[in-house]
Amino acid sequence: MRLEPVRDASLARRLGLPLLALAVTVVVASVLARLAGADPFATLGLILKGAAGSKFALLETLNRATPLIFTGLAVAVAFRAKLWNIGAEAQLYAGALMTVLVGTQLGLPGPVAIPAMALAAILAGALVLLGPAVLKLRLGVDEVVTTLLLNFIMLLVISMLLEGPLKDPMGMGWPKSPPIPRDARLPRLIEGLRLHWGFGLALIAAVSVWLIQIRTTLGYEIRAVGLNPQAARFAGIPVNRVIVKTALLSGGLAALAGFSEVAGLKGNLTLDLSPGFGYTGIVVAMLALLHPLGVVVSAIFVAGVFVGANSMSRAADVPTYIADISVAVALLSMVLAILLTKFRVVRG
Amino acid sequence: MPDLRPVVLKLEGITKRFGTLTANDAIGFALHKGEVLALLGENGAGKTTLMNILFGHYTADAGTVEVMGQALPPGQPGAALAAGVGMVHQHFTLAGNLTVTENILIGTRPLWRGGLGRAEARARIAALSRDFGLAVHPEAKVRTLSVGECQRVEILKALYRDARVLILDEPTAVLTPQETDALFATLKKAVAQGLSIIFISHKLHEVMAVSDRVIVLRHGRVAGEVATADTDRHRLAEMMVGAEVRLPAPSLARPGAALMELDAVSTPPEGTRPGLKSVSLALRAGQITGLAGVSGNGQGALADLVSGLVAPSAGRFEVAGARVERWSPRAALQAGVGRIPEDRHATGSIADFTLTENAVLEDYARPPYSRRGWMNWRAARAHAEKIIKDYDVRCPGSEARIRLLSGGNMQKLILGRALETAPRIILANQPVRGLDIGALTYVQDRLIAARDGGAAVLLISEDLDEILALSDVIHVMSEGRLSPGFPRGTKTPAELGVWMAGQGFDHAA
């Protein structure tokens, strides 16, 4: 068996395979639900209902998608330049930390505080990825290793701060930071709906990244460096500078996920701020084939699966690990479906 | 007179389209037992596509392939091999860390059977080497073999698998003249023993020397079929390009001022490649400076210096009369250096970029292609389309990816990109390597025209004939050292050969 590229995949193939992937997910989830003693035929309905069946559910999905759009964009931008940023998680926490610091320590009025927090977050995230990028360019250190390890280092640093200087004195001893003031929180996108401006910002970021990629010299340079660094260098493209710029952009985008979670949703910093948004960002970016606008779609899909499966496990009263398995099956079968729209399996 | 020998391979009506480009258009021919059939055509004429179809790597849109009267199922790479068709690719498919015997045995035995049956295999390999004149040590590691020896292993590999039809894709591109002669002797022995051979090439004298019959492909069609005995190089060339061919005969040069000057310049060595060792050289306006030498003797270092990839570590380096302070690819471009790199795939272009994107690779950062960081794709596309038109780049369009182009067309785009900026200094590193006659003369004519327009041209080539034909002054490189310049016509190839072997430098320097 081998794979053969498919040129100009038909619409049926491009739509049918992802639908098939969803069907597989539903079947697996149903079987698991049946084993756990729930009504298997209800699971699909429950997942859909949980993800998008009501205004509340839909907004919950979009809220959940917001940080994934940011981390997905961060990964997509970096991977385009073949800069393997596995550290969106660390950059997210760096952004969240700066958001809390600026929001709680400086006492700025709301309209000033919000952009100040965002800028500080972007700067922090960019700096967190700058280190691995410089190490890669100067000493040839593999950025996969450095960015991955920085995730754990960052979590430990946050943990230390939350147990020490940044601990909320009113927090009943829990390791969490003091909340940022009400007027420094991101406003609702539409009055009365539980969806904050972080989502709007994520959409703006996606469109901006897309424009950068197709319209600017930086985007052209990033693509050239990613596809053939030797030819890029020969043509006079400043390869190292482009990689540094890519790192700053990617780190800044990932940090906005932390900013938006703290300033838009949670209000403070805790150690469970991100249930792996940085890592899931890799899945989101891969599902989107590194396309910035595709990232929005795939982030909403992935968030929907998370939210829907969780809601299903609660409603059907089955263990939450069934939700986790459903999410894993959904992502794997979707990745496979996307692979199969580009390649067909041939015998021999 | 019809050939009465049995047909071993028959292609009929093979058609293959890539988008709007028809790579093969109803191609058909028959190969008879015991003959050498040459498949002649320019790069991009459809030779490689045809072979990929024969070997099941591509599926033809129409047409059939028959081996020994049996139709081959399309799209199955194993089928042609099983039917007794062996292929020797231009780029070898050998494992360097295994011995010759092991390389030949790979894939011939089922995985679950223990042992390789070496003794038996060795005896067969020895017999094959003897019968076909393919001398190679069976226990030598492939890594230690020369290019010519590797090719012999590839041929032995095919013979060991009982190939009755042998296809050789540009087999002489990597060989020295002596190795080429040995290969031809082997091919004669093979056909005498009843094998049939398809010899793919664009080198006319080799086709004349080795083949019985020639099929000429042009633009994906069979442009002609002729018995080798009934034709000559000149007529084959005309069939191939569809027009008469002439050799470059540049007029006398009128050298002007030195546009780039090296005075005792050295550069650091890179890996096993020597750097420049106290090289002095002046590239003059209106003159082609030819650089001869055996591959890997510092030509790469000089090319890297001129193109901006490397800065001198010692010596004086002047461009347009001013001492160079900061030197980089971009600085070289700004100083008016047009560059044609040695490797058009790895260095000269980005395979997954479109022709438009490749056309502005060197000046995307300047107006009109971009302003304040924003690309102007309309201007870029217009530029690409101008190059496509002016330099006769055959392609599906400016928005096609450049990987779809043949080597010659890719080189024309790179040439156009370099020459469109009206460069004062032109670096042409192996500009016609691997090109067919049509593209080759085209590129050479353009370089001569640029010289006549007042540019200083540095031509680097391993082909001494090319250097002798084009250069107004010739330097020879050996181990990073540069010989004095010899004006056109003052040195014979044999005399240059002495310098290439590293002699003479002691008195000269």
Side-chain angles (χ1 to χ4, degrees):
Chain A
M1 296 228 297
R2 64 194 178 83
L3 295 174
E4 181 180 86
V6 175
R7 287 164 204 276
D8 305 323
S10 65
L11 193 66
R13 198 180 181 89
R14 277 182 293 161
L15 286 181
L17 280 166
L19 286 177
L20 191 68
L22 287 183
V24 168
T25 308
V26 169
V27 168
V28 172
S30 304
V31 168
L32 288 172
R34 176 77 189 82
L35 290 175
D39 174 9
F41 297 102
T43 45
L44 167 65
L46 286 174
I47 291 178
L48 278 178
K49 202 167 145 219
S54 62
K55 201 163 79 179
F56 176 83
L58 195 61
L59 294 176
E60 185 60 26
T61 295
L62 295 184
N63 267 328
R64 187 65 170 260
T66 301
L68 291 178
I69 295 175
F70 284 119
T71 55
L73 286 174
V75 171
V77 162
F79 280 20
R80 270 271 181 236
K82 301 249 158 71
L83 175 72
W84 307 115
N85 176 17
I86 314 296
E89 192 80 1
Q91 295 136 30
L92 178 151
Y93 272 107
L97 177 63
M98 288 312 283
T99 304
V100 165
L101 283 177
V102 171
T104 59
Q105 308 295 314
L106 298 185
L108 298 169
V112 184
I114 290 176
M117 291 188 304
L119 275 177
I122 290 174
L123 221 62
L127 282 176
V128 168
L129 190 50
L130 183 65
V134 170
L135 282 174
K136 171 193 167 89
L137 295 175
R138 282 288 153 86
L139 302 173
V141 184
D142 190 339
E143 74 275 20
V144 173
V145 176
T146 48
T147 55
L148 180 66
L149 291 182
L150 268 176
N151 289 340
F152 305 108
I153 295 173
M154 184 57 73
L155 264 180
L156 291 171
V157 169
I158 301 276
S159 169
M160 181 192 79
L161 290 174
L162 291 184
E163 294 289 354
L166 215 58
K167 193 169 186 171
D168 184 4
M170 316 290 282
M172 324 280 282
W174 292 101
K176 60 179 189 178
S177 78
I180 57 173
R182 278 265 154 233
D183 66 343
R185 304 269 178 98
L186 289 176
R188 296 278 162 93
L189 197 54
I190 299 162
E191 205 47 56
L193 291 186
R194 199 178 159 274
L195 181 65
H196 60 86
W197 251 100
F199 183 71
L201 197 62
L203 293 185
I204 293 170
V207 172
S208 307
V209 169
W210 180 60
L211 284 177
I212 287 173
Q213 276 189 355
I214 62 162
R215 287 278 166 213
T216 69
T217 50
L218 177 64
Y220 176 79
E221 289 169 334
I222 290 175
R223 288 185 295 130
V225 168
L227 288 171
N228 185 344
Q230 188 185 338
R233 189 166 111 81
F234 181 81
I237 294 175
V239 173
N240 286 0
R241 220 181 310 161
V242 170
I243 289 178
V244 166
K245 282 183 194 169
T246 307
L248 296 177
L249 184 60
S250 172
L253 282 166
L256 279 178
F259 160 75
S260 131
E261 283 298 279
V262 170
L265 208 60
K266 302 282 173 60
N268 61 5
L269 175 58
T270 56
L271 270 178
D272 59 358
L273 178 76
S274 158
F277 287 135
Y279 302 102
T280 312
I282 299 172
V283 177
V284 167
M286 298 305 262
L287 274 178
L289 304 175
L290 307 187
H291 193 294
L293 300 185
V295 162
V296 174
V297 178
S298 78
I300 291 173
F301 167 73
V302 170
V305 174
F306 272 112
V307 172
N310 268 322
S311 159
M312 179 273 286
S313 78
R314 263 180 276 122
D317 194 24
V318 295
T320 49
Y321 67 76
I322 289 181
D324 295 337
I325 295 173
S326 307
V327 170
V329 170
L331 297 183
L332 282 176
S333 49
M334 194 55 91
V335 168
L336 203 62
I338 283 174
L339 178 80
L340 288 178
T341 54
K342 297 170 81 192
F343 297 93
R344 75 165 63 88
V345 181
V346 188
R347 251 195 320 178
Chain B
M1 196 185 79
D3 198 329
L4 299 176
R5 290 174 293 183
V7 169
V8 291
L9 174 71
K10 191 169 169 194
L11 280 78
E12 240 171 340
I14 301 282
T15 300
K16 177 76 185 172
R17 288 183 203 88
F18 295 111
T20 55
L21 191 91
T22 305
N24 285 170
D25 191 356
I27 291 181
F29 61 81
L31 175 69
H32 298 272
K33 187 172 180 194
E35 80 168 333
V36 179
L37 175 68
L39 205 56
L40 182 68
E42 300 191 274
N43 284 326
K47 295 170 296 189
T48 308
T49 306
L50 191 63
M51 289 308 120
N52 276 326
I53 289 168
L54 173 54
F55 276 88
H57 299 306
Y58 293 157
T59 310
D61 298 328
T64 55
V65 179
E66 276 180 23
V67 180
M68 321 282 171
Q70 300 285 310
L72 280 191
Q76 293 189 15
L81 291 172
V85 182
M87 175 126 186
V88 176
H89 292 273
Q90 205 174 341
H91 304 286
F92 303 133
T93 51
L94 298 172
N97 53 346
L98 299 182
T99 66
V100 168
T101 308
E102 286 164 342
N103 265 287
I104 292 171
L105 287 184
I106 281 177
T108 59
R109 305 210 144 223
L111 277 176
W112 56 85
R113 198 164 313 151
L116 287 165
R118 272 164 202 276
E120 188 191 328
R122 230 185 332 249
R124 249 195 90 197
I125 293 169
L128 286 171
S129 328
R130 197 176 52 241
D131 294 351
F132 292 92
L134 291 161
V136 58
H137 193 293
E139 289 311 311
K141 292 255 196 258
V142 163
R143 195 190 308 124
T144 65
L145 301 184
S146 73
V147 176
E149 287 173 312
C150 285
Q151 190 173 59
R152 278 177 236 154
V153 177
E154 285 279 10
I155 296 174
L156 277 173
K157 221 164 97 179
L159 294 175
Y160 190 86
R161 287 163 169 74
D162 294 320
R164 305 307 300 158
V165 175
L166 203 55
I167 299 175
L168 300 142
D169 187 9
E170 304 275 358
T172 61
V174 291
L175 302 184
T176 66
Q178 290 81 356
E179 286 172 328
T180 302
D181 290 342
L183 171 69
F184 286 179
T186 296
L187 298 187
K188 298 270 187 216
K189 282 188 183 131
V191 289
Q193 302 197 17
L195 266 76
S196 311
I197 291 169
I198 295 181
F199 182 87
I200 302 174
S201 182
H202 58 249
K203 291 188 183 163
L204 297 167
H205 59 276
E206 291 173 357
V207 167
M208 289 303 298
V210 76
S211 71
D212 302 314
R213 200 156 56 95
V214 186
I215 303 267
V216 181
L217 293 186
R218 189 168 78 229
H219 298 333
R221 290 201 195 118
V222 175
E225 180 186 342
V226 63
T228 312
D230 300 341
T231 188
D232 59 35
R233 281 172 68 166
H234 202 68
R235 269 185 283 169
L236 282 180
E238 275 181 42
M239 272 161 87
M240 202 163 124
V241 296
E244 218 168 314
V245 186
R246 67 205 155 69
L247 292 162
S251 56
L252 214 59
R254 288 185 306 262
L259 297 181
M260 183 181 274
E261 246 185 312
L262 285 69
D263 184 15
V265 165
S266 298
T267 61
E270 206 174 289
T272 58
R273 206 185 70 175
L276 297 181
K277 289 178 193 147
S278 192
V279 164
S280 297
L281 173 70
L283 299 181
R284 298 191 174 280
Q287 176 175 281
I288 295 182
T289 305
L291 189 67
V294 176
S295 164
N297 267 284
Q299 298 97 317
L302 184 60
D304 282 357
L305 175 70
V306 175
S307 56
L309 289 170
V310 165
S313 55
R316 193 169 52 86
F317 181 46
E318 287 186 355
V319 176
R323 200 172 172 138
V324 171
E325 298 295 337
R326 288 170 55 92
W327 195 234
S328 68
R330 198 165 269 183
L333 288 164
Q334 277 159 3
V337 182
R339 296 110 27 96
I340 300 164
E342 181 177 5
D343 189 336
R344 48 186 164 266
H345 300 277
T347 327
S349 64
I350 294 179
D352 280 318
F353 264 13
T354 63
L355 273 79
T356 297
E357 286 168 326
N358 272 296
V360 296
L361 205 52
E362 289 177 344
D363 21 54
Y364 70 94
R366 291 191 290 113
Y369 311 121
S370 70
R371 279 197 178 84
R372 290 195 203 91
W374 288 84
M375 295 295 297
N376 179 349
W377 286 116
R378 190 173 301 176
R381 196 170 303 127
H383 181 60
E385 269 154 18
K386 184 172 188 311
I387 293 176
I388 291 169
K389 195 162 141 280
D390 292 355
Y391 292 80
D392 188 29
V393 182
R394 292 193 203 127
C395 61
S398 62
E399 297 312 296
R401 283 195 278 177
I402 204 165
R403 69 157 69 250
L404 294 173
L405 268 58
S406 68
N409 285 314
M410 205 182 273
Q411 190 74 329
K412 284 181 189 169
L413 186 90
I414 292 169
L415 180 78
R417 181 175 77 197
L419 295 187
E420 274 300 292
T421 57
R424 302 283 293 135
I425 301 161
I426 296 168
L427 165 73
N429 193 358
Q430 312 272 12
V432 301
R433 178 154 72 184
L435 297 196
D436 51 72
I437 297 178
L440 180 150
T441 23
Y442 185 87
V443 171
Q444 291 179 339
D445 284 351
R446 284 284 185 163
L447 290 176
I448 294 167
R451 177 203 77 168
D452 293 341
V457 181
L458 174 62
L459 172 70
I460 302 179
S461 177
E462 282 154 29
D463 183 347
L464 203 50
D465 291 338
E466 184 190 359
I467 293 281
L468 286 164
L470 289 173
S471 313
D472 302 306
V473 59
I474 299 174
H475 292 265
V476 181
M477 268 204 124
S478 173
E479 290 171 22
R481 296 166 302 174
L482 191 75
S483 77
F486 309 118
R488 176 188 286 278
T490 59
K491 283 272 183 280
T492 64
E495 287 169 326
L496 291 175
V498 172
W499 284 88
M500 284 161 72
Q503 289 158 33
F505 286 89
D506 303 324
H507 332 280

